[in-house]
């Protein structure tokens, strides 16, 4: 298929963009998409759709406080969004300012610490490189002075409730600047229920970058270059996937970040390679999945790479129909919205 970005557009009433999570974690709706069949459910019904021997693979990254406000040495105001912390004194970020800061300039952030802008970074020089001037640990200043980085389509600043609801209950590896939102629906009680019925769990770590929100700026999707993100596959997860494959179980990715990690490390026999690496995998219709059999995910932005990914997984026409159904049914969209359970199809 020769697809353009416009092929992944759809009309979305603004009021369907969820500004807050459901009243209770796990209280969202769930649209089950199996080919052309669409079934409206509640997320609490998920255990009914899984069976003993299935393997759920979660992303255990933890969102850091990555947003800062400050001033340039010239006096102009800036907003900083960390993309990733490289090491104790270096980070890569996005900068919002009336004029982009020049290499070598200093920025006073949160009225508390100073960084120097040392140059551009990223595959297309679309990020900025920062160096701490008067502190020794980016992790510490982020935790002490940073703000929780809610997505740009959420219109309110981070509140007390967001500190917990914009983290999964199993988050443990700090480094993300956006949450792996499919996992936000899971509660400790549901995880216990799933384990009791013989559903196995495993974890990968992919630190979601702010680049996940960057728009696709080319017309033909084949010309798009993905941002790179760090991920790690533990030995225990690789072993669990191999055992699931051998026993005839299903590998279910919780979120597109888990899926991208598994497919980046995937072998042709459905197993995965152990270790840490970088991925810029760009999954579009026509891609053949090696590892993942089912996908739990939220509803994604129009014209986004994640909408392209789910279209590859469940079928382009099937996803178009599912999203039209979700809009008509007043499902809630994006990070704090409702969920989907997608069955893999070979249809393009």
């Amino acid at each position: 298929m020769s697809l353009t970005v416009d092929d992944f557009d759809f009309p979305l009433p603004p009021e369907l963009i969820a500004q807050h999570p459901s009243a209770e974690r796990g209280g969202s709706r769930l649209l089950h998409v199996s080919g052309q069949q669409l079934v409206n459910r509640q997320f609490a019904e998920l255990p009914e759709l899984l069976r003993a021997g299935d393997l759920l693979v979660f992303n255990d990254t933890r969102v850091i406080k990555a947003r800062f406000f400050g001033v340039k040495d010239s006096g102009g105001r800036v907003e900083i969004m960390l993309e990733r912390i490289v090491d104790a004194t270096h980070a890569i970020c996005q900068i919002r300012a009336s004029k982009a800061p020049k290499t070598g300039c200093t920025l006073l952030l949160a009225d508390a610490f100073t960084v120097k802008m040392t140059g551009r970074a990223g595959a297309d020089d679309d990020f900025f490189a920062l160096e701490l001037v008067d502190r020794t640990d980016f992790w510490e200043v982020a935790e002490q002075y940073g703000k929780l980085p809610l997505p740009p389509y959420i219109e309110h600043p981070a509140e007390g409730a967001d500190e917990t609801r914009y983290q999964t209950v199993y988050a443990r590896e700090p480094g993300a600047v956006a949450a792996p939102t499919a996992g936000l629906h899971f509660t400790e009680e549901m995880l216990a229920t799933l384990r009791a019925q013989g559903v196995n769990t495993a974890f990968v770590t992919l630190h979601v970058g702010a680049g996940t929100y960057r728009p696709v700026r080319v017309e033909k999707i084949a010309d798009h270059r993905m941002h790179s993100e760090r991920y790690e596959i533990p030995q225990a997860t690789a072993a669990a996937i191999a055992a699931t494959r051998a026993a005839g179980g299903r590998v279910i990715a919780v979120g597109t970040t888990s899926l991208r990690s598994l497919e980046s490390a995937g072998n042709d026999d459905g197993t995965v390679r152990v270790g840490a690496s970088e991925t810029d995998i760009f999954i579009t219709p026509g891609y053949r999945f090696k590892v993942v059999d089912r996908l739990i995910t939220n509803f994604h932005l129009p014209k986004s790479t994640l909408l392209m990914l789910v279209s590859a997984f469940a079928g382009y026409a099937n996803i178009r129909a599912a999203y039209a159904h979700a809009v008509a049914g007043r499902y809630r969209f994006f990070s704090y919205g409702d969920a989907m359970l997608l069955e893999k199809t070979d249809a393009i």
Side-chain angles (χ1 to χ4, degrees):
M1 299 176 72
S2 180
L3 294 168
T4 69
V5 175
D6 287 340
D7 290 316
F8 296 91
D9 197 8
F10 65 92
L12 179 65
E15 65 271 17
L16 296 186
I17 300 173
Q19 296 296 314
H20 298 274
S22 58
E24 299 292 334
R25 192 188 290 269
S28 296
R29 299 166 71 188
L30 177 70
L31 179 61
H32 185 193
V33 181
S34 180
Q36 297 179 353
Q37 184 179 25
L38 306 174
V39 180
N40 299 310
R41 290 182 173 269
Q42 297 297 314
F43 196 83
E45 300 174 56
L46 179 65
E48 302 172 16
L49 303 174
L50 305 179
R51 60 180 183 237
D54 283 345
L55 177 67
L56 287 167
V57 182
F58 299 92
N59 181 5
D60 64 2
T61 189
R62 186 171 186 82
V63 181
I64 62 173
K65 296 178 180 179
R67 175 172 281 131
F68 300 89
F69 298 92
V71 293
K72 295 184 284 186
D73 50 13
S74 63
R77 294 190 173 276
V78 294
E79 179 182 348
I80 302 292
M81 172 70 81
L82 296 182
E83 169 69 9
R84 70 167 66 180
I85 295 175
V86 177
D87 57 35
T89 56
H90 296 87
I92 296 170
C93 74
Q94 296 177 356
I95 296 180
R96 181 181 297 176
S98 57
K99 291 183 179 180
K102 296 180 180 179
T103 298
C105 81
T106 59
L107 312 172
L108 176 64
L109 301 182
D111 289 326
F113 67 99
T114 304
V115 296
K116 179 189 290 186
M117 206 284 279
T118 60
R120 303 302 286 255
D124 299 314
D125 286 339
D126 46 358
F127 296 109
F128 295 85
L130 299 180
E131 181 179 27
L132 276 174
V133 173
D134 54 357
R135 300 292 180 113
T136 59
D137 194 327
F138 249 120
W139 298 100
E140 288 185 3
V141 297
E143 182 61 29
Q144 186 172 0
Y145 300 110
K147 304 292 185 183
L148 192 72
L150 292 180
Y153 44 76
I154 291 181
E155 297 173 354
H156 67 267
E159 302 164 346
D162 297 305
E163 299 285 342
T164 55
R165 295 298 300 275
Y166 197 62
Q167 301 277 13
T168 64
V169 297
Y170 47 79
R172 59 190 179 197
E173 299 292 339
V177 301
T181 54
L184 298 179
H185 306 282
F186 285 84
T187 64
E188 295 285 7
E189 292 76 15
M190 177 177 280
L191 293 173
T193 296
L194 290 168
R195 293 185 182 113
Q197 72 180 52
V199 175
N200 300 310
T201 57
F203 296 89
V204 300
T205 304
L206 183 144
H207 292 311
V208 192
T212 192
Y213 303 121
R214 296 181 74 84
V216 179
R217 295 191 176 95
V218 297
E219 179 182 357
K220 297 180 179 179
I221 65 172
D223 295 333
H224 179 67
R225 298 175 64 188
M226 287 287 286
H227 60 286
S228 180
E229 294 170 312
R230 295 173 289 175
Y231 75 94
E232 184 169 2
I233 309 290
Q235 175 62 51
T237 297
I241 290 171
T244 302
R245 282 271 168 265
R250 299 172 295 186
V251 176
I252 303 159
V254 178
T256 56
T257 58
S258 295
L259 181 146
R260 293 180 71 243
S261 300
L262 296 176
E263 292 296 322
S264 296
N267 300 313
D268 290 338
D269 63 356
T271 61
V272 296
R273 299 179 295 279
V274 175
S277 188
E278 297 266 340
T279 182
D280 60 359
I281 189 171
F282 184 25
I283 296 176
T284 60
Y287 177 88
R288 294 302 178 195
F289 292 84
K290 302 185 288 288
V291 181
V292 178
D293 301 305
R294 305 172 97 193
L295 172 63
I296 297 169
T297 186
N298 282 17
F299 293 90
H300 303 293
L301 278 70
K303 300 185 178 183
S304 66
T305 60
L306 298 182
L307 182 55
M308 297 168 194
L309 183 155
V310 298
S311 297
F313 191 84
Y316 175 81
N318 297 335
I319 288 295
R320 296 287 294 183
Y323 272 58
H325 175 90
V327 169
R330 310 297 288 178
Y331 276 75
R332 301 168 75 244
F333 276 68
F334 306 161
S335 295
Y336 274 155
D338 295 315
M340 311 173 78
L341 172 62
L342 304 180
E343 307 287 345
K344 184 174 65 176
T345 179
D346 291 330
I348 296 178

